[in-house]
Amino acid sequence: MKRVLLAATAVALLAGCAAQTGNGPQEKASSSTPATQRTTDPMAAAPEPTDRTPDGTLLVTDFGADTVTFVDPDKGRTDSVKVGTAPYGLAVGDDGRAWVATAEGVAVVDTDSRERTALVPYGTKDLGEPTHGEYRGGGMGIALAPDGEHVYVGVNVPDSKGALEVVDTGSLKVTGTADVGRRPFDVDVSRDGKQVYATDHDSFDVTVVDPVHLDRTRRIEVAPYGTEGGLGSWLKPHYAAVRPSDGKLLLPFEGEKLVVVDPDTGRSTVERMTANTHQHGTTITPDGTLLVVGTGPIDPSRDEGPSLTVRAKDGKEKVIPLDGPHEDVTVSADGRTAYVTGGFTRDGYWNGITVVDLDSGDTRRLAVGERPLGIAELPGQKGS
């Protein structure tokens, strides 16, 4: 079993994932930048954009560059669009609009025209000036309702509990706010849309929110190693997945334990995992295959390096080694390929994604933007 870090180390690491120390830009994005401006960095030259975005294109948030980047999974970056300071998570609707959680608000991107069409400011107060760094205020996890009518974004309030804000996708306004735990890394929605789940990293819990009655919330502690160490502990929940077969929440810990939470009863069970590495991003396919990003060891003398765990619904696991830290993952529509971002919420990130063949385990790298975190595959062509 893994140990909680020593007190002195815990203080240095603050909330359990070491603080950003300057690998990305620190200044606020200029308010004079046109909403539709694309990046023109000569060091990140890309092919000229085509008339429309092809099917299967990846969209990635560049936490260090205030952009989202469009990525051809064979060739790499094709275009980038400014969205707002320090974009984190994103969600893409069937209509092709992407919703991006930034430090300033929820950016709306038309993925066909590759333009930011709106920025919805947060209603939550005390977020501070938009900035970069792991502990910056503003949006983190984000998810769409199944009917596409609302977006739910987890908002980090520095040194305080967080909020879940509801954005109406028609009016582009925040229509309500619920109280959740500290630093909501991830947001997920039940299959029927009747519950929203905020995974609250720094309070060791998941907050279950009724999206119709936002004052009706329930806290479920998810702490298979206990809560010793508080903000300095590494052993906290990061991301969750909703299991298609029964709606239960799956939360991986340290490549050792998978906590299976019943969001209706609050009860949980623990299943064994095998990667033995600190874990962050996760996603699940329609057939119940769970993919989990291993970021690397807490204790190099005891733990394994970065990896991608592919866990079948019967619990059998394949662990694919990765080169260097990664953060989040998505899977191609055909289920054959995983795309893993190298951005990482701690130091040690790199500016690309790893493409993983899930049958062979072969990997290759693509350069994308600066400190890529969130990732999604765009749906098929709209209006065709």
Short mmCIF file of all heavy atoms in Angstrom, two decimals, residues 10 13-17 182 201-204 227 229-234 236:
data_model
loop_
_atom_site.label_atom_id
_atom_site.label_comp_id
_atom_site.label_asym_id
_atom_site.label_seq_id
_atom_site.Cartn_x
_atom_site.Cartn_y
_atom_site.Cartn_z
N ALA A 10 4.61 17.29 1.74
CA ALA A 10 3.21 17.61 1.47
C ALA A 10 3.00 19.10 1.40
O ALA A 10 2.26 19.60 0.55
CB ALA A 10 2.31 17.01 2.56
N LEU A 13 4.27 20.37 -1.89
CA LEU A 13 3.48 19.97 -3.04
C LEU A 13 2.06 20.50 -2.97
O LEU A 13 1.27 20.25 -3.88
CB LEU A 13 3.44 18.45 -3.13
CG LEU A 13 4.79 17.80 -3.42
CD1 LEU A 13 4.64 16.30 -3.49
CD2 LEU A 13 5.38 18.33 -4.71
N LEU A 14 1.70 21.23 -1.91
CA LEU A 14 0.39 21.84 -1.76
C LEU A 14 -0.69 20.78 -1.84
O LEU A 14 -0.87 20.01 -0.93
CB LEU A 14 0.18 22.94 -2.80
CG LEU A 14 1.15 24.13 -2.68
CD1 LEU A 14 0.90 25.11 -3.81
CD2 LEU A 14 1.00 24.83 -1.35
N ALA A 15 -1.44 20.74 -2.94
CA ALA A 15 -2.64 19.89 -2.99
C ALA A 15 -2.38 18.51 -3.56
O ALA A 15 -3.28 17.86 -4.01
CB ALA A 15 -3.73 20.59 -3.78
N GLY A 16 -1.19 18.02 -3.55
CA GLY A 16 -0.94 16.64 -3.88
C GLY A 16 -0.45 16.41 -5.28
O GLY A 16 0.08 15.36 -5.58
N CYS A 17 -0.60 17.36 -6.20
CA CYS A 17 -0.01 17.28 -7.53
C CYS A 17 0.86 18.51 -7.65
O CYS A 17 0.36 19.63 -7.62
CB CYS A 17 -1.09 17.27 -8.61
SG CYS A 17 -1.99 15.71 -8.66
N ARG A 182 -13.76 20.73 -3.34
CA ARG A 182 -12.61 21.51 -3.74
C ARG A 182 -11.96 20.96 -5.01
O ARG A 182 -11.74 19.77 -5.16
CB ARG A 182 -11.57 21.53 -2.61
CG ARG A 182 -12.06 22.19 -1.33
CD ARG A 182 -11.04 22.03 -0.22
NE ARG A 182 -9.83 22.79 -0.50
CZ ARG A 182 -9.48 23.91 0.12
NH1 ARG A 182 -10.27 24.43 1.04
NH2 ARG A 182 -8.36 24.51 -0.17
N HIS A 201 -11.19 16.77 -6.30
CA HIS A 201 -9.85 16.26 -6.00
C HIS A 201 -9.43 16.55 -4.57
O HIS A 201 -9.01 15.65 -3.83
CB HIS A 201 -8.87 16.89 -6.99
CG HIS A 201 -7.44 16.52 -6.79
ND1 HIS A 201 -6.58 17.21 -5.98
CD2 HIS A 201 -6.70 15.52 -7.35
CE1 HIS A 201 -5.38 16.66 -6.02
NE2 HIS A 201 -5.41 15.63 -6.86
N ASP A 202 -9.53 17.79 -4.14
CA ASP A 202 -8.94 18.18 -2.86
C ASP A 202 -9.83 17.93 -1.65
O ASP A 202 -9.41 18.19 -0.52
CB ASP A 202 -8.54 19.66 -2.89
CG ASP A 202 -7.28 19.90 -3.71
OD1 ASP A 202 -6.76 18.93 -4.28
OD2 ASP A 202 -6.83 21.05 -3.79
N SER A 203 -11.03 17.41 -1.87
CA SER A 203 -11.88 17.08 -0.72
C SER A 203 -12.22 15.60 -0.68
O SER A 203 -13.10 15.18 0.06
CB SER A 203 -13.16 17.92 -0.72
OG SER A 203 -13.78 17.95 -1.98
N PHE A 204 -11.49 14.79 -1.49
CA PHE A 204 -11.63 13.33 -1.44
C PHE A 204 -13.07 12.89 -1.64
O PHE A 204 -13.56 12.01 -0.93
CB PHE A 204 -11.14 12.79 -0.08
CG PHE A 204 -9.69 13.00 0.23
CD1 PHE A 204 -9.26 14.15 0.88
CD2 PHE A 204 -8.74 12.04 -0.09
CE1 PHE A 204 -7.93 14.35 1.20
CE2 PHE A 204 -7.41 12.23 0.21
CZ PHE A 204 -6.99 13.39 0.86
N THR A 227 -7.91 9.74 4.30
CA THR A 227 -7.71 11.17 4.00
C THR A 227 -6.52 11.76 4.75
O THR A 227 -6.34 12.97 4.76
CB THR A 227 -8.97 11.96 4.37
OG1 THR A 227 -9.24 11.82 5.77
CG2 THR A 227 -10.18 11.48 3.59
N GLY A 229 -3.14 13.32 5.53
CA GLY A 229 -2.31 14.18 4.69
C GLY A 229 -3.07 15.34 4.10
O GLY A 229 -2.47 16.31 3.65
N GLY A 230 -4.41 15.25 4.08
CA GLY A 230 -5.22 16.38 3.62
C GLY A 230 -4.80 16.89 2.26
O GLY A 230 -4.62 16.12 1.32
N LEU A 231 -4.61 18.20 2.17
CA LEU A 231 -4.25 18.81 0.89
C LEU A 231 -2.91 18.32 0.36
O LEU A 231 -2.65 18.41 -0.84
CB LEU A 231 -4.23 20.34 1.01
CG LEU A 231 -5.57 21.02 1.26
CD1 LEU A 231 -5.39 22.53 1.36
CD2 LEU A 231 -6.57 20.69 0.16
N GLY A 232 -2.06 17.80 1.24
CA GLY A 232 -0.75 17.33 0.81
C GLY A 232 -0.72 15.90 0.33
O GLY A 232 0.31 15.43 -0.12
N SER A 233 -1.85 15.21 0.39
CA SER A 233 -1.87 13.81 -0.02
C SER A 233 -1.93 13.68 -1.53
O SER A 233 -2.57 14.46 -2.23
CB SER A 233 -3.09 13.11 0.59
OG SER A 233 -3.23 11.81 0.05
N TRP A 234 -1.25 12.66 -2.06
CA TRP A 234 -1.35 12.34 -3.48
C TRP A 234 -2.54 11.44 -3.77
O TRP A 234 -2.92 11.26 -4.92
CB TRP A 234 -0.08 11.59 -3.93
CG TRP A 234 1.15 12.41 -3.96
CD1 TRP A 234 1.91 12.82 -2.90
CD2 TRP A 234 1.81 12.91 -5.13
NE1 TRP A 234 2.99 13.54 -3.34
CE2 TRP A 234 2.96 13.60 -4.70
CE3 TRP A 234 1.55 12.81 -6.49
CZ2 TRP A 234 3.84 14.21 -5.59
CZ3 TRP A 234 2.42 13.41 -7.38
CH2 TRP A 234 3.56 14.11 -6.92
N LYS A 236 -5.77 10.95 -3.97
CA LYS A 236 -7.09 11.56 -4.09
C LYS A 236 -7.74 11.16 -5.42
O LYS A 236 -7.06 10.74 -6.35
CB LYS A 236 -6.95 13.09 -4.07
CG LYS A 236 -6.27 13.65 -2.84
CD LYS A 236 -6.04 15.14 -3.04
CE LYS A 236 -5.23 15.73 -1.92
NZ LYS A 236 -4.87 17.13 -2.18
#
